Amino acid sequence: MSLDITTFYNVINNELTSTETTRHGINPANRQPNPPVPVSTAKDLDNAVRAAHAAFKIWSRTSFEERRTALNAFADLIEENKDPLASLLTREQGKPIAQSQMETSMALQWARTLTTLDLPETVVEETDERKVVQRYVPLGVVGAIVPWNYPLLLAVGKIVPSIYTGNAVIVKPSPFTPYCDLKIAELGTRCFPPGLLQALSGGDDLGPMMTEHPSIDKISFTGSSVTGRRVMASCAKTLKRVTLELGGNDPAILCDDIDVDVVVPKVGVLSFLCTGQICMMIKRLYIHENIYDEFRDKLVEFVRAFKMGEGNEPDVFIGPIQNEMQFEKAKNIFETIQQDALKPVLGGIIPESDGYFVPPAIIDNPPEASRVVQEEPFAPILPLLKWSSEIDVIDRANDTDMGLGASVWSKDLERAQRIASQLEAGNVWVNSHFDVLPNIPYGGHKASGIGVEWGVDGLKSYCNSQRLWLKKNL
């Protein structure tokens, strides 16, 4: 059955429902309205939570094999509808269709791979008198709060672990990108019992309603560090379990022995993919002084060739900024280029257009204290910074309250690993950046997050840790 991508509903207890008040997202490429979506109320959330608890009581008793079967059917439905989902993703998020197809493929990979992992059940001690087992049991109802940059992948990355570990889950999409998430919840009605996977579209008040709700047992949140702090404070009121995947200001350190022509296209893509709107993009590029001028000039020429435009146009790489709020933040950062007398070697000006378009900008060796270095712009602006001393560049790379990702690039793996081992980040790469896999845990240090998603450790975060003591002789 093909997926209708013209009308959009909440999914509550496997029923498609709407609300008295509706709103609509904006296509960021042309600022035209997308279709109307519900604006959920506290009553809608209460109804969903009640249905989720009823579903949890039954689902938590199922076997992993039963859960795997249902989730594989869910993955099959995503695969059957990958083309309309990718098209819808470009319309609501703005990213080029090739990048939407990549996200849809990743969502499918995550859906299929996470269910192949096993939660460990470990015998901690066994004697003639007793046996002690360390095991993991489901929490109850999960609230999954999904951001607007990768709405499909990050929703699936919360839905599948929730259901696979025996929980029910309520998805709250970003108000900017509700469409794909509502549709995959609709797909879930074909393979999950009522109340197990639900989705509520809403405004800015829906997130706080979820974090404060006394009958939601865990919040999995992906978004900004500023909002993450508010989420954590709100969850503390009811001692909810919480996983936070927050922002980053990722450094990449280029050593002087790299092959410049090989590394330039890799770094160029990894700095400007999704118009720089990825928490793990390269945000600060530290280039050894011996190759600085050559690398800068070749990177400028490579990035200059990126085509910018509406996502369905052929060969587009740079789409629009996703929403007006983020567009205004980008404009504010760009204003500091002139205010701080920085030197752009590419871009630096935002032209008038029908959409939220920001051409890529590269800033030549700005001061470390400048905003383009210190802040996460979530826009296509990249500072290039010169270094000569390993100790100095490590200190500069670590001089941030963020700690999501970092990378080192060198032909000398011993040198690269020596530097990489001193970087303060949850994800550190050598000769790559932004590598992620569903079977490997992912999370940040410092203000970039609490806990991890994905991998076996991610599955554990959707569970309570339990010790089962078995006394053999009564």
Side-chain angles (χ1 to χ4, degrees), residues 116-131:
T116 67
L117 304 179
D118 293 318
L119 268 179
E121 191 166 290
T122 308
V123 176
V124 180
E125 178 182 287
E126 184 162 17
T127 67
D128 291 341
E129 294 182 356
R130 66 173 174 260
K131 180 179 180 181

Side-chain angles (χ1 to χ4, degrees), residues 126-178:
E126 184 162 17
T127 67
D128 291 341
E129 294 182 356
R130 66 173 174 260
K131 180 179 180 181
V132 183
V133 179
Q134 164 70 50
R135 59 199 293 260
Y136 295 90
V137 296
L139 289 164
V141 177
V142 174
I145 301 180
V146 182
W148 48 258
N149 60 339
Y150 269 69
L152 185 56
L153 172 62
L154 295 176
V156 169
K158 298 177 190 299
I159 290 167
V160 174
S162 297
I163 292 174
Y164 185 52
T165 52
N167 301 285
V169 59
I170 301 169
V171 177
K172 188 204 85 68
S174 165
F176 296 117
T177 54

